[in-house]
Amino acid sequence: GAVVSQHPSRVICKSGTSVKIECRSLDFQATTMFWYRQFPKKSLMLMATSNEGSKATYEQGVEKDKFLINHASLTLSTLTVTSAHPEDSSFYICSARDQGARYGYTFGSGTRLTVV
Amino acid sequence: GENVEQHPSTLSVQEGDSAVIKCTYSDSASNYFPWYKQELGKGPQLIIDIRSNVGEKKDQRIAVTLNKTAKHFSLHITETQPEDSAVYFCAASTSGNQFYFGTGTSLTVIP
């Protein structure tokens, strides 16, 4: 079935630095990918919709200059957390849609970001 | 926008018993309702879904029912096993675009 690979699975960074998270569709092309943020024991909150070849669409309240999204190819979207602060620590998850799959959307395994 | 509510937030059942999780949604335009299972430290895994033109769908021990009029849908797990223990999320979507997730149900199956 469709597989979405997300890396890294865990990352620890210092305050003020930037961190890049990659989301790859391994065996299908994804014109659209989604980025979610999940707080402990909470639901998934959609941050932005990543569109191949165009600007991402951000949800209300999400700082686009802080969470940079690039979807340069049909199989790769990246989320860069810029000038990270401890409050950015969270679980970030991407998902992508495989038009040909029985179940359309597949989630990545998530990235645990800890900012110290 | 869409608002999805999910109950209960926690659920404990004895192994072999059934578990039922319920969700309601607000946007009558929503037409796709997936259910996800999330294990600790992992991304959500789709376990079953239902579209608005169907009232019930079953896949082995898992079933989902949808009541469009009342705007609610439910997940039913029968003959529960310890490996069913996880957090379950419902979601609602319009034409498979944006997903709006419920708040999650932590299911514990007691051996």
Side-chain angles (χ1 to χ4, degrees), chain A:
Chain A
V3 177
V4 173
S5 175
Q6 186 173 343
H7 292 284
S9 58
R10 297 183 181 184
V11 58
I12 300 173
C13 71
K14 293 183 178 180
S15 291
T17 62
S18 296
V19 174
K20 180 183 286 187
I21 302 170
E22 293 188 347
C23 181
R24 293 180 183 273
S25 56
L26 294 188
D27 49 3
F28 65 98
Q29 294 182 332
T31 56
T32 303
M33 293 186 177
F34 302 90
W35 288 95
Y36 295 86
R37 182 173 181 176
Q38 186 177 33
F39 292 100
K41 298 185 179 181
K42 297 294 184 181
S43 189
L44 287 79
M45 293 176 50
L46 179 65
M47 298 175 63
T49 302
S50 172
N51 304 296
E52 187 270 335
S54 64
K55 293 182 179 180
T57 304
Y58 291 82
E59 294 300 298
Q60 189 173 6
V62 178
E63 300 177 59
K64 60 180 182 181
D65 293 330
K66 180 167 189 61
F67 298 99
L68 300 179
I69 291 174
N70 184 281
H71 195 155
S73 77
L74 287 171
T75 59
L76 174 64
S77 176
T78 61
L79 168 67
T80 300
V81 183
T82 63
S83 187
H85 292 284
E87 55 264 32
D88 298 325
S89 298
S90 192
F91 193 56
Y92 294 88
I93 309 172
C94 68
S95 74
R97 181 175 187 179
D98 177 10
Q99 299 278 5
R102 178 185 175 193
Y103 298 120
Y105 287 85
T106 302
F107 282 83
S109 54
T111 297
R112 170 71 61 192
L113 170 63
T114 302
V115 184
V116 299

